[in-house]
């Protein structure tokens, strides 16, 4: 995966190409070339491309990897204070705690807005059980809360619902 340093390098090369196309467009207008308007369009495209690459060179693209976390899928996200992830029914409590911490870290962004009453991001983990054919029951296994104000120094509170783990099917290992 390209890093922010790679995108900064691409930004520099794209900026040079943008300047070359801008100079060609000016030269085309002075010499009345037939492709002068195409060169203006190409220059505009290069400006947009360079701006996009510059934005990618500022924002880190890495995801947090916490040892012991398992795969999850995002089921619900209101882009503010609540999210729900789905996990496998064969998950252990230690795996769930690591997965919740990883999801809380990966789903955090500065664009999420809290309210005065609730300034915490709450990520809940659930799985689906099938007690009978044709019947599906969602079971919430735990949740994690973290501050939306501070990314680095905010405490992360993980709560595992031990009573819900008793409902999970036992693995045949």
């Amino acid at each position: 995966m390209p890093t922010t340093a790679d995108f900064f390098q691409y930004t520099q090369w794209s900026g040079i190409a943008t300047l070359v196309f801008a100079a060609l467009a000016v030269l085309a207008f002075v010499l009345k070339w037939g492709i002068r308007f195409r060169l203006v369009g190409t220059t505009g495209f290069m400006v947009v491309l360079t701006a996009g690459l510059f934005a990618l060179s500022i924002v880190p693209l890495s995801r947090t990897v916490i040892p012991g976390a398992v795969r999850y899928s995002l089921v619900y996200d209101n882009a503010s204070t609540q999210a729900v992830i789905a996990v496998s029914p064969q998950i252990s409590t230690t795996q769930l705690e690591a997965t919740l911490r990883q999801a809380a870290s990966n789903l955090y962004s500065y664009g999420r807005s809290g309210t005065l009453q609730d300034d915490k991001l709450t990520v809940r983990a659930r799985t689906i059980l099938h007690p009978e054919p044709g019947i599906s029951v969602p079971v919430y296994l735990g949740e994690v809360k973290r501050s939306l104000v501070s990314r680095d120094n905010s405490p992360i509170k993980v709560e595992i619902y031990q009573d819900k783990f008793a409902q999970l099917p036992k693995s045949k290992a």
Side-chain angles (χ1 to χ4, degrees), residues 66-138:
I66 295 183
V70 296
R71 288 189 54 160
Y72 66 88
S73 59
L74 185 63
V75 177
Y76 171 77
D77 189 354
N78 71 352
S80 180
T81 59
Q82 296 179 14
V84 177
I85 60 171
V87 294
S88 169
Q90 285 79 30
I91 195 167
S92 68
T93 55
T94 55
Q95 289 174 328
L96 179 63
E97 181 176 353
T99 304
L100 281 168
R101 287 182 183 277
Q102 181 170 327
S105 179
N106 288 342
L107 293 174
Y108 175 86
S109 83
Y110 293 108
R112 289 186 178 271
S113 60
T115 62
L116 291 176
Q117 294 83 16
D118 189 13
D119 66 341
K120 299 211 177 308
L121 169 64
T122 303
V123 180
R124 298 175 75 193
R126 70 133 170 95
T127 189
I128 301 288
L129 296 181
H130 305 285
E132 297 176 22
I135 297 178
S136 298
V137 178

Side-chain angles (χ1 to χ4, degrees), residues 10-23:
Y10 304 152
T11 302
Q12 291 173 341
W13 285 104
S14 181
I16 292 169
T18 302
L19 293 175
V20 168
F21 278 112

